[in-house]
């Protein structure tokens, strides 16, 4: 996890349970270093299902999918984490050695080629006006995700 910016929790055992994260890069010539960064999340429908089970047991429901996803990554038992049906999409990189990436679009294409899920709502904008338009559109529909 990102932790304090310098040091975080090692959640590798739980990340391995997320189907959207490849355990090996899908390429015959992998770079020597490739750090993918992204977001772990839970769908609202899955949160509802988890909370329904909790209610049947008389337990308090979880407040939102973001907090549940973050808490799930810190579980000690990866089987419990896997039951939470977490998802992941990659959107950035950290350290890379062995390939050159010259744009964000190229990075997203590389992430997809390597087997990562990326956000399906990504839009390439030609100018700042298109960026503002895209941001305004999502300001209205972001709660529908």
């Amino acid at each position: 996890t990102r932790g304090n910016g310098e040091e975080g929790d090692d959640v590798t055992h739980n990340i391995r349970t997320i189907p959207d994260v490849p355990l090996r890069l899908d390429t015959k010539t992998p770079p020597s270093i490739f750090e993918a960064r992204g977001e772990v999340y839970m769908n609202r429908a899955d949160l509802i299902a988890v909370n329904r089970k909790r209610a049947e047991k008389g337990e308090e429901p979880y407040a939102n999918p973001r907090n549940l996803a973050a808490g799930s990554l810190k579980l000690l038992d990866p089987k419990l984490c896997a039951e939470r049906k977490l998802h992941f999409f990659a959107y950035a990189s950290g350290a890379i050695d062995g390939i050159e990436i010259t744009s964000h679009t190229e990075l997203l294409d590389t992430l997809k080629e390597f087997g990562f899920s990326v956000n399906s709502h990504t839009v390439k904008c030609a100018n700042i006006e298109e960026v503002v338009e895209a941001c305004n559109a999502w300001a209205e529909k972001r709660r529908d995700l």
Side-chain angles (χ1 to χ4, degrees):
T1 64
R2 85 180 129 234
N4 63 12
E6 295 288 324
E7 198 172 302
D9 298 310
D10 182 355
V11 295
T12 306
H13 61 287
N14 287 328
I15 294 294
R16 289 175 183 263
T17 70
I18 301 173
D20 303 323
V21 178
L23 298 180
R24 287 191 165 61
L25 298 181
D26 190 11
T27 178
K28 291 180 180 173
T29 56
S32 57
I33 297 174
F34 189 83
E35 179 184 343
R37 296 182 179 183
E39 187 75 18
V40 173
Y41 66 98
M42 175 180 273
N43 290 326
R44 285 187 181 155
D46 291 330
L47 173 68
I48 290 168
V50 167
N51 278 341
R52 188 175 297 126
K53 288 179 183 177
R54 290 181 65 80
E56 289 170 2
K57 295 178 185 178
E59 298 174 344
E60 195 72 25
Y62 292 109
N64 59 63
R66 183 181 176 120
N67 289 354
L68 181 53
S72 297
L73 289 179
K74 295 185 178 192
L75 293 169
L76 298 177
D77 184 351
K79 290 178 186 173
L80 292 175
C81 185
E83 291 174 6
R84 301 278 171 89
K85 297 183 180 173
L86 299 178
H87 299 277
F88 174 83
F89 65 81
Y91 58 75
S93 67
I96 295 178
D97 187 30
I99 57 172
E100 185 176 334
I101 297 183
T102 60
S103 72
H104 188 67
T105 301
E106 185 179 359
L107 172 63
L108 293 175
D109 290 343
T110 301
L111 287 163
K112 285 191 273 190
E113 288 172 19
F114 283 174
F116 290 94
S117 293
V118 299
N119 190 311
S120 62
H121 302 290
T122 301
V123 177
K124 183 176 180 179
C125 299
N127 53 51
I128 192 63
E129 290 80 17
E130 289 183 13
V131 172
V132 171
E133 186 179 314
C135 289
N136 288 338
W138 276 106
E140 294 180 22
K141 60 185 179 181
R142 71 185 186 99
R143 299 239 183 257
D144 295 333
L145 290 175

